[in-house]
């Protein structure tokens, strides 16, 4: 049974979120539409978080070997020792993550992920959710995350992945936006469609490990980059 790794609830509701223009731009099959719709539109009835956010929560508690929910983790001694950088609001998790004393939220593009203005080795955990696809050079952004992490630090993130395809840049294709169906904000412009080879970006950015934390395949999982 699916459980919310944030609050422990196991009751969920679903609302369709994809729209026809985006489905066409990404050339999504009915199968792909179904699992992406559930990733974004299936929510915990108690805390309201969708599966994408819950996957990040699972990755965090698993990465730190914590027996409990994210709500419990942020109040633990383990969390109190961490310096946590959140780049953009990680779904609906910001209000929970900010309970960690060492938490800081920054917003892209006000903070350029390709030129992070933090010293080397200054954070223990970097979190971002469905942001990397909007960065012109995602490998550069990941390398910046690695640079600012401590020796045993972790970068935990999600990206929209079409699991049976190879990643591609959208250069030369019609512009595609995320957000809302009528969005034309350049900050929502998609530069990269990630596929099954997403792990290459992590390793090429300088990380030694790429760990997948699976909530439900292929609907929701989060990536942990470390080493």
């Amino acid at each position: 049974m699916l459980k919310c790794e944030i609050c422990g609830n196991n009751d969920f509701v679903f609302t369709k979120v994809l729209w026809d223009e985006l489905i066409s731009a990404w050339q999504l099959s009915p199968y792909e539409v179904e699992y992406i719709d559930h990733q974004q539109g299936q929510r915990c009835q108690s805390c309201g978080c969708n599966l994408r956010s819950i996957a990040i929560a699972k990755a965090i508690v698993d990465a730190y070997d914590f027996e409990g929910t994210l709500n419990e983790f942020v109040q633990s001694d383990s969390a109190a020792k961490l310096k946590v950088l959140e780049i953009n609001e990680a779904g609906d998790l910001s209000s929970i993550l900010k309970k960690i004393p060492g938490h800081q939220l920054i917003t892209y593009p006000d903070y350029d992920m390709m030129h992070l203005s933090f010293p080397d080795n200054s954070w223990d955990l970097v979190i971002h959710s469905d942001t990397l696809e909007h960065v012109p050079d995602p490998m550069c952004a990941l390398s910046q995350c690695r640079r600012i992490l401590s020796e045993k630090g972790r970068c935990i993130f999600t990206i929209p992945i079409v699991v049976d395809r190879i990643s591609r840049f959208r250069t030369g294709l019609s512009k595609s936006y995320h957000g809302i169906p009528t969005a034309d904000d350049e900050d929502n412009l998609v530069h990269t469609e990630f596929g099954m080879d997403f792990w290459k970006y992590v390793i090429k950015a300088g990380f030694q490990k790429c760990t997948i934390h699976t909530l439900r395949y292929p609907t929701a999982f989060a990536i942990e980059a470390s080493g």
Side-chain angles (χ1 to χ4, degrees):
M1 178 180 292
L2 183 64
K3 183 190 77 171
C4 179
E5 302 286 342
I6 298 166
C7 68
N9 179 58
N10 55 18
D11 293 320
F12 290 82
V13 294
F14 172 70
T15 303
K16 182 177 173 63
V17 296
L18 293 180
W19 57 96
D20 291 343
E21 291 82 1
L22 185 64
I23 293 169
S24 177
W26 281 53
Q27 299 174 309
L28 298 174
S29 70
Y31 166 67
E32 291 161 346
V33 169
E34 181 180 8
Y35 71 72
I36 295 172
D37 250 341
H38 277 81
Q39 176 194 97
Q40 305 293 336
Q42 188 169 356
R43 293 181 174 273
C44 170
Q45 201 161 14
S46 177
C47 68
C49 291
N50 66 8
L51 298 192
R52 168 165 62 99
S53 296
I54 296 171
I56 290 181
K58 175 176 174 56
I60 294 171
V61 297
D62 285 354
Y64 291 96
D65 296 321
F66 185 78
E67 295 291 336
T69 64
L70 183 68
N71 278 336
E72 295 166 334
F73 174 77
V74 298
Q75 301 179 64
S76 69
D77 291 340
S78 297
K81 300 173 185 176
L82 297 176
K83 291 190 65 179
V84 180
L85 179 66
E86 183 183 3
I87 304 176
N88 279 349
E89 294 187 349
D92 298 306
L93 295 183
S94 292
S95 61
I96 299 167
L97 294 172
K98 71 179 183 181
K99 295 177 183 178
I100 299 174
H103 170 269
Q104 180 179 343
L105 172 65
I106 64 173
T107 304
Y108 176 83
D110 297 337
Y111 276 78
D112 186 350
M113 281 189 73
M114 298 184 295
H115 302 91
L116 292 174
S117 57
F118 296 105
D120 296 357
N121 310 313
S122 53
W123 298 93
D124 301 305
L125 176 61
V126 173
I127 298 169
H128 47 90
S129 181
D130 284 22
T131 294
L132 207 58
E133 69 272 22
H134 302 293
V135 181
D137 188 340
M139 194 159 59
C140 175
L142 283 171
S143 68
Q144 281 290 295
C145 291
R146 183 179 185 273
R147 178 186 65 78
I148 66 174
L149 281 170
S150 60
E151 182 180 354
K152 295 183 179 180
R154 298 172 166 92
C155 178
I156 292 177
F157 65 98
T158 62
I159 45 177
I161 299 173
V162 185
V163 297
D164 295 318
R165 300 190 196 174
I166 298 295
S167 300
R168 69 173 180 174
F169 294 106
R170 289 197 60 85
T171 305
L173 300 175
S174 61
K175 289 187 175 182
S176 176
Y177 300 90
H178 288 170
I180 58 175
T182 57
D184 59 1
D185 186 343
E186 289 300 307
D187 295 345
N188 290 318
L189 179 65
V190 177
H191 292 278
T192 308
E193 293 178 15
F194 289 101
M196 65 179 75
D197 56 341
F198 68 87
W199 60 272
K200 292 182 180 180
Y201 292 82
V202 174
I203 303 304
K204 287 183 176 180
F207 288 99
Q208 299 298 305
K209 295 180 181 179
C210 180
T211 304
I212 302 171
H213 295 267
T214 305
L215 180 69
R216 173 174 285 181
Y217 178 86
T219 306
F221 46 85
I223 302 156
E224 176 189 350
S226 61

